[in-house]
Amino acid sequence: MFDRKLIIGTRGSDLALWQANFVKDRLAENNITAELKIIKTQGDRILHLSFDKLEGKGFFTKELEEELLAGTIDLAVHSHKDLPTENPPGLIIAAVSEREDPADILLVLKDCVDVHQKLSVKYGGIVGTSSNRRKAQLLAMRPDLEIQELRGNVPTRIGKLRDEAYDAIMLAKAGVKRLGIDLSEFHVEELAATELIPAPAQGVMAIQIRESDTELFDALQSVLHNPEVEQELAVERNVLKLFGGGCHLPLGCYCRKHDDKFQVFVSKADDGDGFPDRLFLETAEIEGLPEKILPYFDKERKFCSSVFISRDLSEQSYFRRAIEKLGIQIDARSLIRTVPVITKLDPFILHNLNWVFFSSKNAVEYFFELEPLLPKSIKFGVMGRGSEEKLRQIGHFADYVGEGIDTADVAEHFAALANGQTVLFPAAENSMRSVQQALSADTKIIDLPVYETVMQEEPEAATAEILIFTSPSNVDAYFNVNLMDPAQKIIAIGKSTAKKFQEMGVPYILPFSPDEIGLAEAVFGITI
């Protein structure tokens, strides 16, 4: 029976108090009484400097740790991402909480929204953030944006946006959700943790105590501790430790367990203005995983000299900028062309629609060239981020965006939203119909072929060490006239493209996501 009254040390911000009261309430549910002691930290006192200008480490935690060591508090509640990677001698983390959604969100003033732009911020918009990690990843996606320093607690930051000091600001979704803040006055863009990679341990609370307080350690382990989250955070925090960084390091690291495998996403830039390198790894073995990640980011690492991709790329393409930064030359050329198969749309098929689902960027483009008059209540689903971006350029938001390359997962998630409704599928002729097959029998499915692919004549062989194929048709076009070089490595975008190589008996790499970020991760992960 634990019968001591505890003193919980916390910062005084709204979010810190929410977290401390959460811990206090959980303890009370288990008949352990506690009271709060508010402690001001260096990070709370100095608000005119950016994080990378503050001296030392732990500027949101040091004063709490000093009071723990002095015995004036019994436990300290931290946002885990604020903690240095090493505990001071005599202190330990006794428990980590369940993880709130680690995604970042972008709040945009409604008169600064441009849906045609990625992330919906107007061209050249001013975005506030105090994080070099966010800055580097944002500028990689949108180099036109102007990033300005933003400090203060969550309500203060939102107030600065409300006062129009910025066009948009970035925040952690976890903090906004925990505080229950109404964001209806803003346009909200959520960036999945696999798209804009969060800080190590983002969304998790850490409860720190004196190492000698074994009675309290046992109580916290049984009341608050989540061992699965602890396992994932060990990867993220050890990656941060190996890079020798703190809060100012432009490093994102996110580890999650998915289908009995550990997936790790890493983004690292030299500074907030630098273009980040990104890595995706998936493994069943977590032991030694952080040490396996470090060599990929070695400054002396050798990359291939050239990459071929069966797609035309603009000069501002994310993939082109990511690959050319590594000193790799790009041979970018499509081996096919697409043509419409219908020029007029029967308006009858648009009646009573609930959803339109697109499995490719071409499907989006050719469907809207038909100038459809859609119901105002229509919802849009897309297979991935590439199709989402194309839909944006036309002026529409996606209500469902598939994540990753597993078509079966996307189909299952979309079916949970659309079963029993009427769904239109604009697509290529001879589409694989993967999503349609997952829908229930009471769902009305309307297939609408809007384009077909035509092969270019005798494409020239690529001499690059890495060949990237963006569709099954491009695979057919290339290998109809060219032989496979066993020394070349293959990257396949999407499972239908991968299936072609399975049939050929050719090894291939499947990126996590079938978009330019996923491609950049895949090339970065290839060791030559």
Side-chain angles (χ1 to χ4, degrees), residues 204-221:
V204 180
M205 291 177 276
I207 295 87
Q208 191 178 38
I209 67 170
R210 289 180 291 278
E211 190 171 14
S212 59
D213 199 343
T214 55
E215 182 186 26
L216 181 54
F217 177 88
D218 292 340
L220 291 169
Q221 283 274 307

Side-chain angles (χ1 to χ4, degrees), residues 429-496:
E429 280 196 325
N430 303 316
S431 166
M432 293 181 66
R433 302 186 77 252
S434 303
V435 175
Q436 291 93 314
Q437 294 171 36
L439 296 173
S440 61
D442 62 341
T443 304
K444 184 177 180 182
I445 296 170
I446 304 173
D447 289 307
L448 180 67
V450 291
Y451 73 97
E452 65 177 339
T453 57
V454 179
M455 296 183 188
Q456 307 279 32
E457 292 184 5
E458 297 194 2
E460 182 182 344
T463 58
E465 293 110 307
I466 298 174
L467 307 183
I468 302 173
F469 290 93
T470 54
S471 71
S473 300
N474 272 293
V475 177
D476 289 336
Y478 184 84
F479 289 105
N480 274 349
V481 294
N482 296 301
L483 297 175
M484 180 68 206
D485 182 345
Q488 291 175 316
K489 297 185 184 293
I490 301 292
I491 296 175
I493 297 185
K495 287 206 164 182
S496 58

Side-chain angles (χ1 to χ4, degrees), residues 4 18 49 91 157 207 226 255 274 277 304 323 333 516:
R4 285 162 48 198
W18 184 97
L49 295 177
L91 299 183
R157 296 183 191 199
I207 295 87
N226 188 305
C255 177
D277 296 317
C304 67
I323 298 310
R333 49 192 165 97
E516 294 200 359

Side-chain angles (χ1 to χ4, degrees), residues 166-295:
Y166 307 88
D167 300 319
I169 64 172
M170 287 208 73
L171 299 169
K173 182 180 178 181
V176 174
K177 187 173 179 181
R178 283 169 176 159
L179 291 175
I181 296 174
D182 180 6
L183 301 177
S184 59
E185 64 188 292
F186 307 111
H187 172 75
V188 182
E189 287 273 329
E190 182 173 329
L191 291 90
T194 57
E195 182 178 12
L196 195 142
I197 302 173
Q202 185 159 305
V204 180
M205 291 177 276
I207 295 87
Q208 191 178 38
I209 67 170
R210 289 180 291 278
E211 190 171 14
S212 59
D213 199 343
T214 55
E215 182 186 26
L216 181 54
F217 177 88
D218 292 340
L220 291 169
Q221 283 274 307
S222 63
V223 171
L224 283 160
H225 186 58
N226 188 305
E228 289 79 17
V229 171
E230 180 187 35
Q231 189 178 42
E232 294 163 353
L233 294 198
V235 174
E236 299 173 16
R237 300 269 296 165
N238 279 320
V239 168
L240 178 62
K241 181 179 178 180
L242 289 170
F243 280 121
C247 292
H248 64 280
L249 185 71
L251 173 74
C253 185
Y254 175 49
C255 177
R256 68 179 186 184
K257 195 169 186 180
H258 181 74
D259 290 342
D260 296 324
K261 290 187 177 181
F262 291 93
Q263 296 179 334
V264 186
F265 304 80
V266 183
S267 169
K268 184 180 180 297
D270 292 331
D271 52 48
D273 295 306
F275 196 101
D277 296 317
R278 290 184 55 133
L279 177 70
F280 167 71
L281 287 181
E282 186 173 53
T283 176
E285 181 55 61
I286 197 171
E287 188 70 29
L289 185 52
E291 290 75 16
K292 293 175 184 175
I293 288 169
L294 196 63

